[in-house]
Amino acid sequence: MLRYLTKLNTNIPKRLTNRLFHSTTGCHQTIDSKVDDGNLIGRPIYLDAQATTPLDPRVLDSMLPYLTSYYGNPHSRTHTYGWETEKAVEVAREQIANLIGADPKEIIFTSGATESNNIAVKGVGRFYASKKKHVITTQTEHKCVLDSCRALEGEGFTVTYLPVGENGLISLEELEKAMTEETSLVSIMTVNNEIGVRQPMEEIGKLCKAKKIFFHTDAAQAIGKIPIDVQSMNIDLMSISGHKIYGPKGIGALYVRRKPRVRIEALQSGGGQERGLRSGTVPAPLAVGIGMACDIANREMEYDHKWMETLSQRLMDRIYSKLTHVIRNGDPVHSYPGCINLSFAYVEGESLLMALKDVALSSGSACTSASLEPSYVLRAIGADEDLAHSSIRFGMGRFTTLDEIDYAADKCIKHVTRLREMSPLWEMVQEGIDLKTIQWSQH
Amino acid sequence: MASKRQILSLYKCLLNESKKFPSYNFRNYAVRKIKDSFKANRNLSDPSQIMVKMQEAKTNLEIIRRQVMIGQMYSTDKLVIENVHSIRVNL
């Protein structure tokens, strides 16, 4: 580890000085053969679409009028300034509703999926707390759902954290077994942010409906990317994020079913906006942005999805053709193709990320990427400690090109090969020694 | 009814404007999307449908023009991949 840290120390200042140099000169960078220890100079290519996506120019175009000319408070009822922004916010609400087969009245604007998840989990839990004090979720949920559940536990709730199989999917039998008379809520994410696995929503929804338990899903990574219908999937609450679908950061939405009605205890006190469930002025420009982002996603879902399949196939074909001992984390079929999580055995993930500095990648969730702990999602799917440490998530998006995929794959192949050549473990594996049988002596 | 010449000219306009996006990713996406969309609608015969698509394309052309300007105001250094193609250094 020390080796990697010293490497980090020598590399980062160099990168920083490069960047500073470019920003102070202010002019466009000339294309000459500037090479920085074997790497070309330039901004890294972006392959971290699960962390965030760039704002689609069409979305920005729809927002700009509301960031400049139309600045009214959408809740002002007495003048044009309020009316025009209110109308825009309502159009956005409809665009979001259309994407998920809901009624616009069932959409509540929030600051993002984290807030939506908090409102859903704590809000439903607390409202029904006098009768039901049990919540079911999974071990691979996003931190904000897990943390909200912990908060409920502090208030005397019991929470079941369902395990997942090696493919990252929950077992419906176990879910059914966990359900009791006491259960008020099941919260299971649609598409996992780290391994891209898609849970069986239809079946979970059916089960929840039969047992009269509310079903919440964190669909931040799924919305606009795979078809979602709250009616056919029996979803009662759904969290949506703006910046994962080429919309603006700082806005999200929560779908709350009206028939049969889902009651929520609001977390935030205030002016009673958004049916009293989320007080605070709705940021009209951001709402317009997420609305447009949903509208575009709705129209182009099939086109974008095909592109994701093309890109991910290209990435995997290229990597698998040159490297062995590469494991794909998560179910290969029940998953979203724009998120490919690979473990490169006998290579330390952090050192690989460090070597791939001209590709913006992550080993998992952005929330946990600062820590050197292996991802809890990978641990939950039963990945060995060493494999969990060697994982890299390739996040592709609408604006990713084939050239970028080729570049990232080639760089990856080059550095995995190089790092393995330096590894004594790899050498032993090449000689046919099974590492699991070795008795490591203690010093 | 839109003539073939009008459609072709709109297509060229869209492509030419899109190529001005300073962002590598937006530029490549726009070009790919325009080509694929025109290809997908190649066999449209209903004049009213063609008119709708033409109008959509004109709206998009305006958006691209504005967004290219904004992109030029806040452009960044080139991506590493843009430099690869001009230098061809071994990876």
Side-chain angles (χ1 to χ4, degrees):
Chain A
M1 184 41 68
L2 196 68
R3 190 159 42 117
Y4 301 131
L5 285 177
T6 48
K7 200 171 167 209
L8 186 146
N9 281 337
T10 52
N11 273 348
I12 282 188
K14 204 184 271 181
R15 270 177 87 189
L16 272 180
T17 45
N18 280 336
R19 199 161 290 172
L20 282 172
F21 171 68
H22 289 302
S23 58
T24 46
T25 51
C27 54
H28 291 285
Q29 194 192 327
T30 47
I31 308 165
D32 54 21
S33 45
K34 272 184 203 159
V35 177
D36 161 34
D37 41 293
N39 287 311
L40 288 156
I41 286 178
R43 276 173 72 76
I45 58 173
Y46 189 76
L47 281 181
D48 201 7
Q50 275 70 42
T52 191
T53 52
L55 191 66
D56 191 302
R58 291 166 289 188
V59 174
L60 178 59
D61 200 73
S62 72
M63 289 167 67
L64 279 169
Y66 297 90
L67 287 161
T68 49
S69 313
Y70 307 113
Y71 53 82
N73 184 325
H75 312 293
S76 294
R77 287 290 163 82
T78 50
H79 48 69
T80 318
Y81 289 82
W83 300 331
E84 58 201 12
T85 41
E86 190 198 15
K87 198 175 162 221
V89 167
E90 292 318 309
V91 169
R93 208 186 292 280
E94 205 177 322
Q95 287 169 323
I96 300 171
N98 286 343
L99 180 60
I100 58 170
D103 186 278
K105 287 185 192 124
E106 298 173 311
I107 304 295
I108 287 160
F109 286 109
T110 65
S111 65
T114 291
E115 191 189 348
S116 300
N117 284 333
N118 269 271
I119 296 176
V121 174
K122 292 180 189 165
V124 169
R126 285 175 189 164
F127 191 92
Y128 297 94
S130 57
K131 286 177 190 153
K132 297 174 164 186
K133 281 202 135 178
H134 179 228
V135 171
I136 300 174
T137 186
T138 71
Q139 291 176 358
T140 55
E141 288 300 303
H142 191 268
K143 274 264 159 79
C144 62
V145 171
L146 294 176
D147 237 39
S148 296
C149 288
R150 291 256 181 268
L152 287 181
E153 279 184 301
E155 294 165 23
F157 283 75
T158 44
V159 179
T160 305
Y161 299 93
L162 286 178
V164 292
E166 265 180 37
N167 54 7
L169 295 170
I170 61 148
S171 133
L172 289 166
E173 291 84 59
E174 273 186 62
L175 172 64
E176 192 169 5
K177 259 190 263 166
M179 289 172 163
T180 67
E181 290 287 305
E182 280 268 279
T183 314
S184 61
L185 182 75
V186 168
S187 178
I188 293 174
M189 73 199 323
T190 317
V191 169
N192 187 274
N193 54 323
E194 289 197 25
I195 52 178
V197 160
R198 181 191 179 280
Q199 301 289 353
M201 302 314 282
E202 295 84 357
E203 288 82 351
I204 300 170
K206 222 177 270 171
L207 215 54
C208 290
K209 196 181 183 188
K211 303 254 177 178
K212 294 203 168 64
I213 297 168
F214 293 126
F215 176 29
H216 164 250
T217 184
D218 173 3
Q221 300 288 352
I223 201 93
K225 293 169 185 170
I226 56 169
I228 287 183
D229 183 72
V230 290
Q231 307 307 341
S232 70
M233 294 174 175
N234 290 309
I235 295 166
D236 295 308
L237 301 114
M238 180 159 74
S239 304
I240 296 167
S241 175
H243 72 109
K244 311 280 191 199
I245 52 167
Y246 317 96
K249 288 150 182 73
I251 190 146
L254 177 66
Y255 159 79
V256 185
R257 183 177 286 281
R258 275 162 71 93
K259 279 176 198 169
R261 192 165 169 209
V262 181
R263 319 258 330 239
I264 288 178
E265 193 183 296
L267 300 184
Q268 193 159 305
S269 316
Q273 289 92 347
E274 301 298 283
R275 297 199 283 134
L277 297 177
R278 204 280 187 175
S279 286
T281 300
V282 171
L286 300 182
V288 168
I290 192 178
M292 181 50 88
C294 285
D295 189 49
I296 294 170
N298 208 359
R299 281 184 274 127
E300 298 185 358
M301 195 182 298
E302 208 181 316
Y303 181 75
D304 283 347
H305 199 270
K306 260 190 208 144
W307 187 241
M308 289 308 108
E309 278 170 353
T310 310
L311 293 178
S312 59
Q313 204 50 53
R314 175 92 150 223
L315 177 77
M316 286 188 292
D317 285 350
R318 218 168 164 104
I319 287 180
Y320 284 131
S321 70
K322 293 273 169 62
L323 293 175
T324 57
H325 298 78
V326 181
I327 297 105
R328 176 160 180 202
N329 296 305
D331 196 284
V333 180
H334 299 281
S335 63
Y336 168 63
C339 176
I340 305 287
N341 192 314
L342 299 177
S343 281
F344 300 93
Y346 316 109
V347 170
E348 217 252 343
E350 293 296 323
S351 49
L352 183 54
L353 283 178
M354 213 61 85
L356 293 170
K357 58 183 174 179
D358 45 10
V359 185
L361 285 163
S362 162
S363 55
S365 163
C367 315
T368 48
S369 66
S371 74
L372 290 170
E373 279 285 296
S375 138
Y376 63 89
V377 174
L378 293 181
R379 290 242 209 121
I381 64 171
D384 287 338
E385 182 98 355
D386 52 336
L387 279 180
H389 264 300
S390 63
S391 78
I392 288 198
R393 179 182 67 184
F394 295 85
M396 293 151 270
R398 182 183 285 163
F399 300 107
T400 308
T401 66
L402 280 171
D403 282 339
E404 286 179 304
I405 293 298
D406 290 349
Y407 183 83
D410 289 348
K411 278 267 164 164
C412 201
I413 293 163
K414 177 189 157 189
H415 287 290
V416 167
T417 312
R418 182 179 62 83
L419 289 165
R420 277 179 179 172
E421 274 164 6
M422 294 183 340
S423 158
L425 293 180
W426 177 247
E427 207 173 303
M428 288 157 85
V429 171
Q430 296 304 92
E431 285 163 13
I433 302 168
D434 183 0
L435 296 181
K436 294 223 164 83
T437 61
I438 297 175
Q439 299 282 316
W440 301 100
S441 62
Q442 299 260 318
H443 289 287
Chain B
M1 161 121 191
S3 71
K4 210 167 193 169
R5 200 176 52 84
Q6 278 175 305
I7 296 172
L8 208 66
S9 132
L10 188 56
Y11 176 69
K12 277 189 180 152
C13 260
L14 280 163
L15 281 183
N16 285 337
E17 278 306 310
S18 296
K19 283 175 186 160
K20 294 181 192 162
F21 265 118
S23 153
Y24 164 84
N25 295 89
F26 291 165
R27 185 171 65 241
N28 278 280
Y29 169 76
V31 170
R32 171 169 67 88
K33 183 76 175 75
I34 291 162
K35 286 184 177 169
D36 287 345
S37 299
F38 274 81
K39 224 180 273 169
N41 292 316
R42 184 186 270 164
N43 296 325
L44 276 190
S45 51
D46 179 2
S48 65
Q49 253 186 322
I50 294 174
M51 278 309 283
V52 169
K53 288 288 167 198
M54 287 283 281
Q55 201 46 54
E56 233 175 74
K58 279 178 191 162
T59 311
N60 279 327
L61 181 59
E62 290 311 307
I63 295 177
I64 293 168
R65 285 207 169 114
R66 287 193 292 269
Q67 291 301 314
V68 161
M69 282 201 297
I70 290 173
Q72 284 165 347
M73 282 186 260
Y74 301 100
S75 65
T76 61
D77 290 341
K78 283 191 181 236
L79 293 188
V80 63
I81 190 145
E82 294 174 89
N83 297 336
V84 172
H85 293 293
S86 45
I87 315 167
R88 298 232 165 262
V89 174
N90 284 337
L91 281 175

